[in-house]
């Protein structure tokens, strides 16, 4: 992690109710701090996936080490987030709510979206459609069980 960052645990408003979130922001601006914010999405909640997953945590830690503000959040029905799992449909809306929060907090900086497994599928799908997103990272992408044809366009 960066030498020092602020950590904020809170709830952001999502379409199905409040979403549990953690935001890391650099304590001091880096010398050449990138004007980029990051959101990291977790694996499938039906199989124990939350924002505290070790891969999600390590991805957030790596982005934090670059001096980026990093938001992790639990999709609906995971952890302390309201709502019920919606097979990826509602989770896309949850991610859009997280993007709205990040855009407001960081002066509409471009956003890097990252995700692990189910979170990669959601992040890549939303990121390809949202002009606020300039970078995508998919980790453990579930290519054998999910449709990624949207990546062609």
């Amino acid at each position: 992690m960066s030498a020092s960052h602020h950590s904020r645990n809170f709830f952001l408003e999502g379409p199905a109710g409040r979403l549990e979130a953690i935001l890391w922001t650099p304590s001091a601006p880096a010398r050449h701090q990138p004007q980029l914010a990051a959101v990291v999405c977790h694996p499938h909640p039906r199989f124990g996936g939350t924002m505290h997953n070790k891969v999600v945590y390590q991805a957030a830690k790596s982005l934090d080490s670059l001096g980026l503000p990093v938001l992790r959040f639990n999709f609906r029905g995971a952890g302390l987030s309201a709502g019920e799992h919606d097979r990826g449909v509602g989770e896309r809306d949850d991610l859009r709510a997280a993007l709205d929060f990040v855009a407001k907090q960081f002066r509409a900086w471009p956003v890097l979206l990252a995700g692990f497994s189910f979170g990669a599928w959601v992040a890549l799908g939303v990121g390809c459609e949202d002009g606020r997103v300039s970078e995508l990272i998919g980790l453990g992408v579930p290519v054998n069980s999910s449709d990624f044809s949207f990546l062609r366009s």
Side-chain angles (χ1 to χ4, degrees):
M1 273 185 268
S2 64
S4 181
H5 70 238
H6 298 287
S7 182
R8 176 179 160 212
N9 294 30
F10 65 103
F11 291 94
L12 62 90
E13 286 306 313
R18 62 190 204 161
L19 299 171
E20 181 183 16
I22 298 173
L23 176 65
W24 290 342
T25 53
S27 295
R31 240 169 118 177
H32 300 287
Q33 182 174 349
Q35 301 287 297
L36 186 68
V39 178
V40 182
C41 300
H42 66 78
H44 207 297
R46 289 276 167 101
F47 303 106
T50 72
M51 67 176 165
H52 301 293
N53 170 275
K54 65 184 176 182
V55 174
V56 171
Y57 176 82
Q58 291 298 328
K61 188 174 161 181
S62 294
L63 295 166
D64 176 68
S65 73
L66 298 173
L68 303 180
V70 181
L71 177 72
R72 288 180 289 146
F73 71 97
N74 278 328
F75 290 121
R76 60 186 62 205
L80 298 176
S81 289
E84 295 181 12
H85 179 67
D86 193 26
R87 301 178 56 189
V89 177
E91 289 77 7
R92 287 174 181 249
D93 291 333
D94 295 344
L95 178 52
R96 288 182 188 102
L99 281 168
D100 291 343
F101 172 83
V102 167
K104 184 177 178 181
Q105 291 293 306
F106 300 101
R107 301 169 291 231
W109 289 354
V111 177
L112 179 154
L113 277 186
F116 174 49
S117 190
F118 171 80
W121 177 68
V122 173
L124 293 173
V126 170
C128 285
E129 299 169 349
D130 194 309
R132 299 173 292 188
V133 177
S134 65
E135 310 290 333
L136 295 168
I137 298 174
L139 303 165
V141 178
V143 295
N144 292 330
S145 61
S146 301
D147 178 14
F148 285 92
S149 59
F150 58 85
L151 291 174
R152 288 191 188 108
S153 60

